[in-house]
């Protein structure tokens, strides 16, 4: 069983290695993992937002192990504060006892950590943790060290003291692991497994095939195919305390990424989130830390919020204080109050101030989107922030801002709206509360209440814009797309270039007038396809959110079919990986091009050879309804969205157009039509057919579908025609017939 599937079995306390940091109560739970459950409030709150780093010291001097330090925190002396365990780049382990308090740590000079008389494990990079792996309820010493080895030393201490046997049990792990490792009961079978990183960036899971008394780790298998850019340092934690284990991953370049385990499928750990500085920018400590970031989490100041601690190549240890939600709210209120009269002006001229204000909102949004704020706390966040809209109406309510003089105010208001909306569970009633708080009326209010969409345009949309947007979005299957914000960047001024609105999901449309016409099909279409540019742009951008975002989870078969269509359009000379959704296999493609005499093998000439291959070839120009297939190979995210241009412009015309292309020998177009029709149908036997007219006129009809035993569409019956298909393989059409309905006049 794969680690992804096995992780769904996790229950109770599975990740003792993290919770060991928190308190004596946690230690007791670790000693008896089957008999203890701790309430969420016993643990410090997680956050994605951290203050600038401070160096941990002994006296006035920085802790310095000279080379490649790894860190763990544990109440070693059981005095209710956290002590530092560190591995160095020379194979030695060190204890820095906290002689201060839980609130104010003060570290004493280093003492060696030993197992009997053993005080060294190899001669290079070393990692350490304490875990109950051998029989009794005592915590054992686990060391990852040179020689691709992990060694466990049994705790033989008495009366709660930590004393480790000199002779250990050693296991082989992946190459170049050294100190890059963690331990957790990943598969939920009651035994602790190893998760290892490596210098090359690969992660592996080593299941414990032994017993609670006698561990035996299996050979490593890929951990969700996650690949870091060198020096992958894993920490396995239940970061958001939802009962599922997550991954915190440090890398060579100074950043730390969180992979939340939010679903039950194989992709559950692929949804990554970077940790952030307090200004909302991505956290990175390479400038002070050197290569190699070794993340650890602990509430080092005992303020109820987890802090980030990291060692690295330069041998020092850095503490980044986690910023709690209540303090961020208080800071935001204070900044608004203090600068109420000249907020717009100061945002324009003071870069540091702007980063601070936007950073507070961005970090709140990141924590909300990451599921890191419990519902009760999120509801309080809404009640704390909502009154600010009335108190600072010129700044936070919907209105037309002067983007020339105050280019950042519409962006600030928009980010504030996003946070308010994200703080409440999504429902019609809660959407109305948000609309009331921020002054959304008429068409803006309908878009928010009916669809949950914040339309952000600096109050520039006409009534006709809003009405036709609502009409189109009503006609699109609601479960096919998931959008929180729609932004018209061109109507928001220069501020949008330097300040991004952070949202869970959002799209940008162009500031086009309603009524501008567009010919949406090439000249060989059966008839001219004239439609409205503004609404085509909206449909296109929403379609980006359809298959590649929503459908990737709900219809993975169709997501894969998109790439099968791309492969068909590209032809056999372009070789795709398996599965095809992994993209083009460029090494194999280059080898094939060289064999065919299409490339001379000189790396500097590859781009030219690749570009030239697709030039002036009818098959590539006509493999998509619009544009040469090379564009979609280089930007596969555009493939489905561009199909939507045609489908929403005129679904019947697109079907007719596919038949014209089919008769001319172009086989890929009809497969693209079936792909979008199948997705919009939701797997059912009906699908909307659209006609978008200039000026926003929208006509929606229904086409009936029939399917075979493999759920493939075998016919499409529209109000004017019937199309029948037979398949050449699993997803691609081999026969295609189209005829008008006999009773159609």
């Amino acid at each position: 069983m794969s680690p992804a599937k096995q992780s769904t079995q996790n229950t109770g306390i599975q990740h003792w290695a993290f919770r060991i940091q928190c308190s004596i109560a946690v230690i007791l739970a670790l000693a008896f993992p089957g008999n203890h459950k701790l309430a969420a409030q016993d643990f410090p709150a997680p956050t994605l937002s951290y203050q600038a780093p401070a160096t941990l010291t002994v006296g006035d001097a920085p802790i310095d192990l000279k080379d490649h330090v790894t860190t763990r925190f544990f109440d070693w002396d059981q005095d209710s504060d956290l002590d530092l365990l560190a591995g160095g780049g020379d194979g030695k382990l060190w204890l820095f006892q906290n002689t201060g308090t839980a609130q104010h740590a003060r570290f004493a000079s280093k003492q060696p950590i030993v197992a009997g008389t053993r005080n060294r494990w190899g001669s290079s990079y070393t990692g350490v943790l304490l875990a109950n792996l051998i029989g009794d309820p005592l915590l054992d010493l686990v060391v990852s060290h040179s020689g691709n080895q992990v060694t466990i030393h049994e705790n033989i201490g008495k009366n709660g003291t930590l004393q480790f046997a000199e002779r250990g049990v050693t296991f082989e792990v992946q190459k170049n692991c050294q100190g890059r490792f963690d331990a957790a009961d990943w598969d939920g079978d009651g035994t602790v497994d190893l998760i290892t990183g490596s210098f090359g960036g690969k992660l592996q899971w080593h299941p414990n095939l032994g017993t609670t008394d006698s561990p035996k780790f299996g050979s490593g298998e890929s951990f969700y195919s996650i690949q870091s850019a060198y020096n992958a340092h894993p920490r396995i934690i239940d970061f958001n305390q939802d009962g599922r284990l997550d991954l915190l991953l440090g890398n060579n370049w100074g950043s730390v990424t969180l992979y939340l385990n939010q679903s039950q499928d194989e992709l559950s750990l692929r949804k990554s989130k970077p940790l952030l500085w307090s200004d909302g920018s991505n956290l990175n400590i390479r400038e002070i830390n050197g290569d190699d970031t070794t993340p650890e989490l602990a509430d080092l100041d005992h303020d109820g919020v987890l802090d980030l601690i990291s060692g690295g190549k330069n041998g020092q240890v850095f503490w980044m204080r986690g910023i709690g939600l209540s303090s961020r709210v208080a800071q935001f209120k204070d900044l608004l109050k203090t600068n109420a009269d000249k907020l717009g002006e100061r945002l324009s001229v003071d870069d540091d101030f702007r980063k601070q204000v936007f950073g507070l909102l961005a970090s709140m949004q990141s924590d909300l989107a990451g599921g890191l704020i419990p519902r009760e706390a999120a509801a309080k966040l809404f009640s704390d922030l909502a009154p600010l809209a009335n108190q600072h109406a010129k700044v936070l309510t919907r209105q037309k801002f002067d983007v020339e003089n105050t280019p950042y105010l519409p962006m600030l208001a928009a980010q504030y709206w996003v946070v308010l909306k994200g703080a409440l569970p999504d429902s019609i009633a809660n959407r109305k509360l948000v609309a009331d708080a921020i002054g959304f009326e008429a068409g803006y209010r309908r878009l928010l209440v009916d669809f949950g969409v914040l339309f952000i345009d600096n109050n520039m949309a006409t009534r006709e814009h809003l009405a036709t947007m609502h009409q189109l979005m009503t006609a699109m299957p609601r479960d096919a797309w998931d959008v929180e914000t729609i932004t018209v960047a061109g109507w928001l001024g220069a501020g949008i270039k330097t300040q991004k609105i952070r949202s869970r999901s959002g799209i940008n449309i162009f500031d086009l007038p309603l009524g501008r016409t567009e010919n949406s099909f090439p000249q060989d279409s059966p008839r001219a396809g004239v439609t409205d540019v503004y609404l085509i742009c909206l449909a296109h951008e929403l379609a980006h959110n359809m298959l590649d975002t929503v459908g990737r989870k709900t219809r993975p078969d169709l997501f894969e079919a998109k790439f099968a269509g791309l492969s068909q359009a590209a032809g056999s000379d372009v070789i795709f990986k398996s599965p095809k959704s992994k993209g083009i296999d460029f090494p194999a493609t280059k080898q094939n091009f060289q064999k065919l005499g299409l490339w001379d093998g000189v790396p500097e000439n590859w781009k030219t050879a690749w570009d030239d291959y697709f030039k002036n070839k009818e098959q590539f120009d006509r493999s998509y309804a619009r544009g040469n297939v090379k564009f979609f190979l280089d930007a596969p995210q555009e493939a489905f969205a561009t199909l939507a241009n045609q489908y929403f412009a005129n679904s019947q015309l697109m079907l007719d157009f596919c038949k014209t292309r089919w008769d001319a020998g172009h086989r890929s177009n009809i497969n693209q039509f079936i792909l979008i029709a199948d997705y919009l149908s939701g797997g059912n036997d009906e699908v909307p057919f659209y006609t978008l007219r200039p000026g926003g006129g929208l006509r929606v009809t229904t086409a009936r579908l029939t399917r075979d035993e493999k759920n493939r569409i075998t016919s499409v019956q529209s109000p004017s025609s019937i199309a029948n298909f037979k398949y050449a393989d699993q997803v691609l059409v081999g026969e295609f017939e189209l005829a008008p309905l006999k009773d159609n006049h």
Side-chain angles (χ1 to χ4, degrees):
M1 187 182 296
S2 72
K5 291 180 179 178
Q6 290 185 344
S7 69
T8 64
Q9 304 171 14
N10 294 334
T11 58
I13 298 177
Q14 299 164 314
H15 185 243
W16 39 263
F18 166 63
R19 295 175 178 173
I20 203 171
Q21 306 166 1
C22 302
S23 67
I24 298 293
V26 177
I27 295 172
L28 295 174
L30 297 175
F32 306 94
N35 300 321
H36 293 263
K37 289 188 178 182
L38 299 179
Q41 59 265 29
D42 294 331
F43 304 114
T47 180
L48 296 177
S49 182
Y50 300 88
Q51 288 185 349
T55 306
L56 294 187
T57 63
V58 173
D60 296 328
I63 292 173
D64 191 355
L65 296 183
K66 306 303 182 184
D67 184 33
H68 283 299
V69 60
T70 62
T71 60
R72 292 283 183 173
F73 282 90
F74 178 70
D75 188 3
W76 181 277
D77 49 12
Q78 300 187 32
D79 62 352
S80 299
D81 57 36
L82 294 175
D83 308 299
L84 170 63
L85 282 62
D90 58 357
K92 295 183 178 181
L93 304 176
W94 303 97
L95 167 68
F96 294 85
Q97 281 189 280
N98 184 356
T99 58
T101 65
Q103 293 79 17
H104 303 283
R106 185 183 303 111
F107 296 102
S109 299
K110 64 184 182 183
Q111 306 172 41
I113 297 174
V114 299
T117 62
R118 183 173 184 176
N119 65 355
R120 193 164 190 164
W121 289 260
S123 59
S124 62
Y125 209 6
T126 311
V128 59
L129 59 83
L130 299 178
N132 179 11
L133 281 167
I134 302 177
D136 55 40
L138 302 178
L139 297 166
D140 309 302
L141 179 69
V142 188
V143 187
S144 175
H145 54 94
S146 58
N148 311 318
Q149 294 180 331
V150 171
T151 300
I152 303 168
H153 295 270
E154 185 178 3
N155 187 349
I156 57 175
K158 306 290 185 182
N159 300 320
T161 61
L162 294 170
Q163 183 180 350
F164 306 107
E166 183 161 349
R167 189 181 181 98
V169 183
T170 297
F171 301 91
E172 297 287 327
V173 292
Q174 68 165 310
K175 185 178 180 181
N176 291 322
C177 169
Q178 297 177 318
R180 308 168 182 91
F181 86 125
D182 204 353
D185 182 9
W186 186 259
D187 54 8
D189 66 352
T191 61
V192 177
D193 313 309
L194 297 178
I195 292 86
T196 61
S198 67
F199 173 78
K202 292 182 179 180
L203 294 183
Q204 287 191 346
W205 172 60
H206 303 263
N208 190 343
L209 306 177
T211 67
T212 54
D213 295 330
S214 180
K216 182 181 178 182
F217 297 104
S219 59
E221 57 183 89
S222 177
F223 194 66
Y224 296 89
S225 301
I226 293 173
Q227 175 76 38
S228 177
Y230 302 109
N231 283 319
H233 278 271
R235 288 291 182 266
I236 304 298
I237 58 176
D238 182 1
F239 189 87
N240 57 351
Q241 301 163 28
D242 65 350
R244 301 185 183 98
L245 296 177
D246 311 303
L247 168 68
L248 199 70
L249 186 64
N251 66 27
N252 191 74
W253 311 117
S255 62
V256 182
T257 303
L258 172 66
Y259 294 80
L260 284 174
N261 186 356
Q262 295 181 305
S263 65
Q264 305 296 320
D265 59 35
E266 293 281 347
L267 297 175
S268 59
L269 282 183
R270 293 185 181 269
K271 301 300 276 185
S272 61
K273 300 177 180 294
L275 301 192
L276 307 172
W277 292 126
S278 58
D279 66 1
S281 61
N282 291 352
L283 182 148
N284 192 290
I285 60 171
R286 194 183 188 198
E287 288 189 5
I288 61 169
N289 190 53
D291 296 345
D292 221 358
T293 307
T294 63
E296 174 69 314
L297 291 173
D299 186 7
L300 197 54
D301 56 359
H302 210 66
D303 66 348
V305 181
L306 284 172
D307 308 315
L308 175 69
I309 301 93
S310 178
K313 186 177 181 179
N314 67 5
Q316 296 184 359
V317 181
F318 300 93
W319 171 45
M320 289 142 280
R321 184 172 177 268
I323 305 174
L325 185 62
S326 59
S327 66
R328 281 176 277 166
V329 171
Q331 289 179 55
F332 183 67
K333 287 182 176 181
D334 185 62
L335 290 171
L336 287 180
K337 183 179 179 180
T338 305
N339 299 275
D341 296 331
K342 296 185 177 181
L343 182 63
E345 178 182 342
R346 190 172 179 191
L347 286 172
S348 300
V349 301
D350 191 333
D351 291 348
D352 291 338
F353 176 75
R354 182 171 65 250
K355 288 180 180 179
Q356 185 181 13
V357 173
F358 277 100
L360 289 168
L361 290 172
S363 65
M364 294 178 202
Q365 169 58 17
S366 296
D367 283 359
L368 287 168
L372 305 183
I373 301 176
R375 178 170 292 190
E376 296 80 7
K380 186 177 184 305
L381 175 65
F382 180 87
S383 65
D384 286 341
L385 292 181
L388 298 177
N390 185 56
Q391 297 169 19
H392 304 279
K394 293 182 179 180
V395 175
L396 299 178
T397 57
R398 192 186 67 80
Q399 58 188 287
K400 188 174 181 179
F401 293 96
D402 184 348
V403 296
E404 294 293 328
N405 294 315
T406 56
Y408 295 99
L409 284 188
M411 312 300 295
L412 178 67
Q415 187 63 77
Y416 168 77
W417 303 342
V418 170
V419 172
L420 278 190
K421 183 176 177 296
L424 298 177
D426 190 47
S427 69
I428 297 293
N430 286 338
R431 293 174 191 172
K432 290 179 179 178
L433 289 177
V434 176
D436 291 341
I438 60 182
F440 269 39
E441 299 175 343
Y444 294 95
R445 183 182 182 90
R446 285 192 294 273
L447 289 170
L448 174 55
V449 174
D450 293 349
F451 304 118
V453 172
L454 291 162
F455 184 44
I456 302 162
D457 71 330
N458 199 25
N459 210 27
M460 294 287 288
T462 65
R463 183 173 60 183
E464 290 75 22
H465 274 112
L466 296 167
T468 53
M469 284 178 66
H470 192 280
Q471 187 183 18
L472 176 61
M473 293 161 70
T474 300
M476 302 169 74
R478 188 61 187 89
D479 57 354
W481 54 276
D482 178 23
V483 168
E484 186 175 32
T485 61
I486 297 177
T487 304
V488 184
W491 288 346
L492 289 181
I496 199 168
K497 297 179 180 179
T498 54
Q499 188 59 58
K500 180 182 178 182
I501 301 171
R502 293 177 180 263
S503 64
R504 176 181 52 79
S505 63
I507 64 171
N508 172 56
I509 58 177
F510 304 99
D511 55 328
L512 296 167
L514 197 64
R516 180 182 296 177
T517 58
E518 178 187 80
N519 184 355
S520 298
F521 291 85
Q523 292 301 310
D524 63 345
S525 128
R527 59 189 183 277
V530 178
T531 187
D532 191 273
V533 176
Y534 180 85
L535 289 178
I536 284 298
C537 287
L538 176 63
H540 177 95
E541 297 302 326
L542 282 169
H544 271 301
N545 183 261
M546 286 182 178
L547 182 62
D548 290 345
T549 301
V550 178
R552 189 170 185 174
K553 300 176 183 177
T554 61
R555 293 296 304 274
D557 57 323
L558 294 183
F559 181 74
E560 188 63 38
K562 182 185 85 167
F563 287 89
L566 277 169
S567 178
Q568 180 193 45
S572 59
D573 294 340
V574 178
I575 300 171
F576 275 69
K577 299 175 182 178
S578 182
K580 288 183 171 62
S581 58
K582 291 185 176 181
I584 299 171
D585 186 339
F586 274 104
T589 299
K590 289 178 178 179
Q591 187 178 20
N592 194 43
F593 270 42
Q594 194 171 6
K595 179 181 177 181
L596 297 171
L598 302 170
W599 177 48
D600 59 9
V602 179
E604 291 78 7
N605 296 336
W606 168 249
K607 184 179 184 302
T608 299
W610 176 253
D611 292 344
D612 288 346
Y613 180 71
F614 297 98
K615 287 181 180 177
N616 303 317
K617 292 187 179 180
E618 184 185 29
Q619 69 188 87
F620 299 135
D621 289 338
R622 300 191 174 208
S623 56
Y624 271 77
R626 175 184 280 193
N628 189 288
V629 68
K630 180 183 179 298
F631 174 76
F632 302 106
L633 296 176
D634 293 341
Q637 74 277 7
E638 295 293 339
F640 185 87
T642 301
L643 296 181
N645 291 19
Q646 277 60 50
Y647 193 94
F648 286 101
N650 192 315
S651 307
Q652 183 65 55
L653 178 58
M654 186 178 182
L655 181 58
D656 298 343
F657 168 79
C658 289
K659 185 61 167 66
T660 300
R661 285 278 176 94
W662 180 274
D663 292 341
H666 305 292
R667 298 293 193 256
S668 58
N669 305 106
I670 189 58
N671 291 298
Q672 298 158 19
F673 175 89
I674 290 174
L675 172 65
I676 192 168
D678 202 357
Y679 181 72
L680 291 174
S681 75
N684 298 314
D685 59 0
E686 289 186 347
V687 64
F689 261 39
Y690 303 93
T691 303
L692 279 178
R693 296 188 177 94
L698 172 64
R699 179 172 174 256
V700 185
T701 57
T702 299
R704 295 193 61 81
L705 309 176
T706 58
R707 300 176 182 271
D708 62 14
E709 68 282 354
K710 296 180 179 179
N711 206 38
R712 300 176 298 190
I713 295 173
T714 55
S715 74
V716 178
Q717 181 177 322
S718 74
S720 60
S721 68
I722 182 166
N724 294 298
F725 314 105
K726 292 183 180 178
Y727 288 83
D729 60 20
Q730 184 64 31
V731 295
L732 300 176
V733 170
E735 297 180 28
F736 172 24
E737 296 178 349
L738 180 66
L741 290 179
K742 293 180 180 180
D743 60 350
N744 183 53
H745 301 290

